[in-house]
PDB file of all heavy atoms in Angstrom:
ATOM      1  N   GLN A   4      43.582  62.681 111.196  1.00 80.00           N
ATOM      2  CA  GLN A   4      43.719  61.459 111.984  1.00 80.00           C
ATOM      3  C   GLN A   4      44.391  61.708 113.325  1.00 80.00           C
ATOM      4  O   GLN A   4      44.054  61.070 114.313  1.00 80.00           O
ATOM      5  CB  GLN A   4      44.510  60.427 111.187  1.00 80.00           C
ATOM      6  CG  GLN A   4      43.770  59.968 109.946  1.00 80.00           C
ATOM      7  CD  GLN A   4      44.676  59.326 108.927  1.00 80.00           C
ATOM      8  OE1 GLN A   4      45.847  59.096 109.187  1.00 80.00           O
ATOM      9  NE2 GLN A   4      44.136  59.051 107.760  1.00 80.00           N
ATOM     10  N   PHE A   7      49.266  66.571 117.026  1.00 91.00           N
ATOM     11  CA  PHE A   7      50.285  66.571 118.076  1.00 91.00           C
ATOM     12  C   PHE A   7      50.749  67.994 118.306  1.00 91.00           C
ATOM     13  O   PHE A   7      50.849  68.781 117.369  1.00 91.00           O
ATOM     14  CB  PHE A   7      51.516  65.742 117.664  1.00 91.00           C
ATOM     15  CG  PHE A   7      51.231  64.298 117.394  1.00 91.00           C
ATOM     16  CD1 PHE A   7      51.111  63.834 116.098  1.00 91.00           C
ATOM     17  CD2 PHE A   7      51.087  63.399 118.432  1.00 91.00           C
ATOM     18  CE1 PHE A   7      50.852  62.508 115.839  1.00 91.00           C
ATOM     19  CE2 PHE A   7      50.825  62.068 118.179  1.00 91.00           C
ATOM     20  CZ  PHE A   7      50.705  61.623 116.881  1.00 91.00           C
ATOM     21  N   ILE A   9      54.143  69.709 119.996  1.00 92.00           N
ATOM     22  CA  ILE A   9      55.474  69.350 120.468  1.00 92.00           C
ATOM     23  C   ILE A   9      56.128  70.626 120.972  1.00 92.00           C
ATOM     24  O   ILE A   9      56.120  71.642 120.270  1.00 92.00           O
ATOM     25  CB  ILE A   9      56.300  68.740 119.317  1.00 92.00           C
ATOM     26  CG1 ILE A   9      55.572  67.511 118.752  1.00 92.00           C
ATOM     27  CG2 ILE A   9      57.690  68.363 119.770  1.00 92.00           C
ATOM     28  CD1 ILE A   9      56.123  67.026 117.446  1.00 92.00           C
ATOM     29  N   LEU A  15      56.442  65.718 123.561  1.00 91.00           N
ATOM     30  CA  LEU A  15      55.031  65.750 123.209  1.00 91.00           C
ATOM     31  C   LEU A  15      54.252  66.316 124.386  1.00 91.00           C
ATOM     32  O   LEU A  15      54.319  65.771 125.490  1.00 91.00           O
ATOM     33  CB  LEU A  15      54.561  64.336 122.887  1.00 91.00           C
ATOM     34  CG  LEU A  15      53.097  64.168 122.500  1.00 91.00           C
ATOM     35  CD1 LEU A  15      52.833  64.810 121.159  1.00 91.00           C
ATOM     36  CD2 LEU A  15      52.733  62.700 122.460  1.00 91.00           C
ATOM     37  N   SER A  23      39.761  55.884 114.801  1.00 63.00           N
ATOM     38  CA  SER A  23      39.624  55.040 113.619  1.00 63.00           C
ATOM     39  C   SER A  23      39.114  53.671 114.039  1.00 63.00           C
ATOM     40  O   SER A  23      39.340  53.220 115.157  1.00 63.00           O
ATOM     41  CB  SER A  23      40.979  54.915 112.926  1.00 63.00           C
ATOM     42  OG  SER A  23      41.935  54.425 113.829  1.00 63.00           O
ATOM     43  N   LYS A  30      39.928  34.359 112.711  1.00 78.00           N
ATOM     44  CA  LYS A  30      39.825  33.245 111.770  1.00 78.00           C
ATOM     45  C   LYS A  30      40.229  31.961 112.469  1.00 78.00           C
ATOM     46  O   LYS A  30      41.016  31.975 113.424  1.00 78.00           O
ATOM     47  CB  LYS A  30      40.728  33.472 110.558  1.00 78.00           C
ATOM     48  CG  LYS A  30      40.179  34.515 109.608  1.00 78.00           C
ATOM     49  CD  LYS A  30      40.665  34.289 108.204  1.00 78.00           C
ATOM     50  CE  LYS A  30      39.963  35.227 107.246  1.00 78.00           C
ATOM     51  NZ  LYS A  30      38.526  34.950 107.121  1.00 78.00           N
ATOM     52  N   VAL A  49      52.634  39.622 113.077  1.00 87.00           N
ATOM     53  CA  VAL A  49      52.755  38.986 111.761  1.00 87.00           C
ATOM     54  C   VAL A  49      53.976  39.566 111.058  1.00 87.00           C
ATOM     55  O   VAL A  49      54.075  40.780 110.886  1.00 87.00           O
ATOM     56  CB  VAL A  49      51.488  39.250 110.919  1.00 87.00           C
ATOM     57  CG1 VAL A  49      51.650  38.681 109.529  1.00 87.00           C
ATOM     58  CG2 VAL A  49      50.270  38.667 111.609  1.00 87.00           C
ATOM     59  N   ARG A  54      47.145  37.629 104.328  1.00 71.00           N
ATOM     60  CA  ARG A  54      45.998  37.063 103.628  1.00 71.00           C
ATOM     61  C   ARG A  54      44.732  37.308 104.428  1.00 71.00           C
ATOM     62  O   ARG A  54      44.783  37.517 105.637  1.00 71.00           O
ATOM     63  CB  ARG A  54      46.187  35.566 103.379  1.00 71.00           C
ATOM     64  CG  ARG A  54      46.147  34.691 104.620  1.00 71.00           C
ATOM     65  CD  ARG A  54      46.305  33.251 104.191  1.00 71.00           C
ATOM     66  NE  ARG A  54      46.169  32.316 105.277  1.00 71.00           N
ATOM     67  CZ  ARG A  54      45.008  31.818 105.696  1.00 71.00           C
ATOM     68  NH1 ARG A  54      43.897  32.200 105.123  1.00 71.00           N
ATOM     69  NH2 ARG A  54      44.966  30.964 106.680  1.00 71.00           N
ATOM     70  N   ILE A  66      43.249  34.081 121.447  1.00 85.00           N
ATOM     71  CA  ILE A  66      43.261  32.731 120.880  1.00 85.00           C
ATOM     72  C   ILE A  66      42.122  31.961 121.520  1.00 85.00           C
ATOM     73  O   ILE A  66      42.043  31.879 122.754  1.00 85.00           O
ATOM     74  CB  ILE A  66      44.605  32.025 121.144  1.00 85.00           C
ATOM     75  CG1 ILE A  66      45.732  32.751 120.407  1.00 85.00           C
ATOM     76  CG2 ILE A  66      44.551  30.578 120.701  1.00 85.00           C
ATOM     77  CD1 ILE A  66      47.079  32.117 120.570  1.00 85.00           C
ATOM     78  N   ILE A  76      49.616  33.662 127.345  1.00 82.00           N
ATOM     79  CA  ILE A  76      48.186  33.395 127.355  1.00 82.00           C
ATOM     80  C   ILE A  76      47.913  32.303 128.382  1.00 82.00           C
ATOM     81  O   ILE A  76      48.748  31.423 128.619  1.00 82.00           O
ATOM     82  CB  ILE A  76      47.701  32.951 125.956  1.00 82.00           C
ATOM     83  CG1 ILE A  76      46.174  32.877 125.931  1.00 82.00           C
ATOM     84  CG2 ILE A  76      48.332  31.643 125.540  1.00 82.00           C
ATOM     85  CD1 ILE A  76      45.622  32.664 124.544  1.00 82.00           C
ATOM     86  N   LEU A  86      53.653  31.691 121.258  1.00 82.00           N
ATOM     87  CA  LEU A  86      54.301  30.980 120.161  1.00 82.00           C
ATOM     88  C   LEU A  86      54.340  29.480 120.425  1.00 82.00           C
ATOM     89  O   LEU A  86      54.224  28.675 119.502  1.00 82.00           O
ATOM     90  CB  LEU A  86      55.715  31.527 119.944  1.00 82.00           C
ATOM     91  CG  LEU A  86      55.783  32.955 119.396  1.00 82.00           C
ATOM     92  CD1 LEU A  86      57.224  33.358 119.141  1.00 82.00           C
ATOM     93  CD2 LEU A  86      54.985  33.073 118.108  1.00 82.00           C
ATOM     94  N   GLU A 110      54.998  55.352 122.326  1.00 82.00           N
ATOM     95  CA  GLU A 110      55.436  55.441 120.936  1.00 82.00           C
ATOM     96  C   GLU A 110      55.161  56.827 120.369  1.00 82.00           C
ATOM     97  O   GLU A 110      55.942  57.347 119.565  1.00 82.00           O
ATOM     98  CB  GLU A 110      54.742  54.361 120.101  1.00 82.00           C
ATOM     99  CG  GLU A 110      55.377  52.996 120.295  1.00 82.00           C
ATOM    100  CD  GLU A 110      54.482  51.857 119.860  1.00 82.00           C
ATOM    101  OE1 GLU A 110      53.325  52.109 119.472  1.00 82.00           O
ATOM    102  OE2 GLU A 110      54.922  50.701 119.932  1.00 82.00           O
ATOM    103  N   LYS A 111      54.050  57.438 120.787  1.00 87.00           N
ATOM    104  CA  LYS A 111      53.790  58.804 120.332  1.00 87.00           C
ATOM    105  C   LYS A 111      54.870  59.750 120.822  1.00 87.00           C
ATOM    106  O   LYS A 111      55.312  60.647 120.092  1.00 87.00           O
ATOM    107  CB  LYS A 111      52.426  59.282 120.843  1.00 87.00           C
ATOM    108  CG  LYS A 111      51.253  58.673 120.118  1.00 87.00           C
ATOM    109  CD  LYS A 111      49.955  59.137 120.741  1.00 87.00           C
ATOM    110  CE  LYS A 111      48.772  58.444 120.096  1.00 87.00           C
ATOM    111  NZ  LYS A 111      47.521  58.723 120.799  1.00 87.00           N
ATOM    112  N   PHE A 118      60.463  63.307 115.226  1.00 91.00           N
ATOM    113  CA  PHE A 118      60.095  64.331 114.253  1.00 91.00           C
ATOM    114  C   PHE A 118      60.780  65.656 114.573  1.00 91.00           C
ATOM    115  O   PHE A 118      61.169  66.396 113.660  1.00 91.00           O
ATOM    116  CB  PHE A 118      58.578  64.523 114.227  1.00 91.00           C
ATOM    117  CG  PHE A 118      58.145  65.540 113.223  1.00 91.00           C
ATOM    118  CD1 PHE A 118      58.130  65.239 111.879  1.00 91.00           C
ATOM    119  CD2 PHE A 118      57.794  66.816 113.618  1.00 91.00           C
ATOM    120  CE1 PHE A 118      57.762  66.187 110.941  1.00 91.00           C
ATOM    121  CE2 PHE A 118      57.424  67.769 112.688  1.00 91.00           C
ATOM    122  CZ  PHE A 118      57.405  67.452 111.347  1.00 91.00           C
ATOM    123  N   TYR A 122      62.918  67.550 111.796  1.00 91.00           N
ATOM    124  CA  TYR A 122      62.619  68.928 111.426  1.00 91.00           C
ATOM    125  C   TYR A 122      63.910  69.743 111.367  1.00 91.00           C
ATOM    126  O   TYR A 122      64.168  70.479 110.412  1.00 91.00           O
ATOM    127  CB  TYR A 122      61.648  69.508 112.461  1.00 91.00           C
ATOM    128  CG  TYR A 122      61.098  70.868 112.142  1.00 91.00           C
ATOM    129  CD1 TYR A 122      59.884  71.014 111.488  1.00 91.00           C
ATOM    130  CD2 TYR A 122      61.794  72.014 112.514  1.00 91.00           C
ATOM    131  CE1 TYR A 122      59.377  72.274 111.212  1.00 91.00           C
ATOM    132  CE2 TYR A 122      61.296  73.264 112.232  1.00 91.00           C
ATOM    133  CZ  TYR A 122      60.085  73.390 111.584  1.00 91.00           C
ATOM    134  OH  TYR A 122      59.592  74.631 111.316  1.00 91.00           O
ATOM    135  N   GLY A 136      62.113  74.051 108.612  1.00 90.00           N
ATOM    136  CA  GLY A 136      62.103  72.601 108.682  1.00 90.00           C
ATOM    137  C   GLY A 136      60.959  72.041 107.852  1.00 90.00           C
ATOM    138  O   GLY A 136      60.393  72.717 106.996  1.00 90.00           O
ATOM    139  N   LYS A 146      49.383  62.305 104.977  1.00 84.00           N
ATOM    140  CA  LYS A 146      50.203  63.515 104.882  1.00 84.00           C
ATOM    141  C   LYS A 146      50.377  64.077 106.275  1.00 84.00           C
ATOM    142  O   LYS A 146      49.451  64.034 107.090  1.00 84.00           O
ATOM    143  CB  LYS A 146      49.529  64.571 104.017  1.00 84.00           C
ATOM    144  CG  LYS A 146      49.400  64.213 102.565  1.00 84.00           C
ATOM    145  CD  LYS A 146      48.653  65.311 101.848  1.00 84.00           C
ATOM    146  CE  LYS A 146      48.455  64.984 100.396  1.00 84.00           C
ATOM    147  NZ  LYS A 146      47.624  66.000  99.726  1.00 84.00           N
ATOM    148  N   SER A 163      44.585  62.312 106.134  1.00 83.00           N
ATOM    149  CA  SER A 163      44.548  61.368 105.030  1.00 83.00           C
ATOM    150  C   SER A 163      45.001  62.057 103.751  1.00 83.00           C
ATOM    151  O   SER A 163      45.193  63.265 103.707  1.00 83.00           O
ATOM    152  CB  SER A 163      43.127  60.834 104.857  1.00 83.00           C
ATOM    153  OG  SER A 163      42.276  61.888 104.487  1.00 83.00           O
ATOM    154  N   ILE A 177      44.668  76.051 115.612  1.00 91.00           N
ATOM    155  CA  ILE A 177      45.095  75.249 116.761  1.00 91.00           C
ATOM    156  C   ILE A 177      46.060  76.060 117.619  1.00 91.00           C
ATOM    157  O   ILE A 177      46.020  76.008 118.860  1.00 91.00           O
ATOM    158  CB  ILE A 177      45.738  73.933 116.280  1.00 91.00           C
ATOM    159  CG1 ILE A 177      44.693  73.056 115.584  1.00 91.00           C
ATOM    160  CG2 ILE A 177      46.348  73.167 117.439  1.00 91.00           C
ATOM    161  CD1 ILE A 177      45.254  71.806 114.964  1.00 91.00           C
ATOM    162  N   TYR A 191      48.881  76.465 134.312  1.00 85.00           N
ATOM    163  CA  TYR A 191      49.615  75.677 133.320  1.00 85.00           C
ATOM    164  C   TYR A 191      51.089  76.071 133.340  1.00 85.00           C
ATOM    165  O   TYR A 191      51.414  77.256 133.250  1.00 85.00           O
ATOM    166  CB  TYR A 191      49.032  75.919 131.922  1.00 85.00           C
ATOM    167  CG  TYR A 191      49.822  75.263 130.821  1.00 85.00           C
ATOM    168  CD1 TYR A 191      49.843  73.879 130.680  1.00 85.00           C
ATOM    169  CD2 TYR A 191      50.564  76.023 129.936  1.00 85.00           C
ATOM    170  CE1 TYR A 191      50.579  73.278 129.685  1.00 85.00           C
ATOM    171  CE2 TYR A 191      51.295  75.436 128.936  1.00 85.00           C
ATOM    172  CZ  TYR A 191      51.301  74.058 128.813  1.00 85.00           C
ATOM    173  OH  TYR A 191      52.026  73.477 127.819  1.00 85.00           O
ATOM    174  N   ALA A 205      37.541  72.169 122.429  1.00 91.00           N
ATOM    175  CA  ALA A 205      37.739  73.142 121.349  1.00 91.00           C
ATOM    176  C   ALA A 205      38.444  72.498 120.159  1.00 91.00           C
ATOM    177  O   ALA A 205      38.086  72.742 118.999  1.00 91.00           O
ATOM    178  CB  ALA A 205      38.543  74.328 121.879  1.00 91.00           C
ATOM    179  N   ILE A 206      39.443  71.659 120.431  1.00 89.00           N
ATOM    180  CA  ILE A 206      40.146  70.986 119.330  1.00 89.00           C
ATOM    181  C   ILE A 206      39.187  70.075 118.576  1.00 89.00           C
ATOM    182  O   ILE A 206      39.159  70.040 117.341  1.00 89.00           O
ATOM    183  CB  ILE A 206      41.344  70.184 119.880  1.00 89.00           C
ATOM    184  CG1 ILE A 206      42.425  71.129 120.414  1.00 89.00           C
ATOM    185  CG2 ILE A 206      41.917  69.262 118.823  1.00 89.00           C
ATOM    186  CD1 ILE A 206      43.259  71.769 119.354  1.00 89.00           C
TER     187      ILE A 206
END
Side-chain angles (χ1 to χ4, degrees):
Chain A
Q4 294 161 7
F7 299 101
I9 302 167
L15 180 68
S23 56
K30 286 206 173 294
V49 176
R54 69 178 185 86
I66 295 182
I76 188 171
L86 291 184
E110 282 162 356
K111 286 177 185 172
F118 181 76
Y122 187 94
K146 293 177 182 175
S163 64
I177 294 174
Y191 174 69
I206 292 283

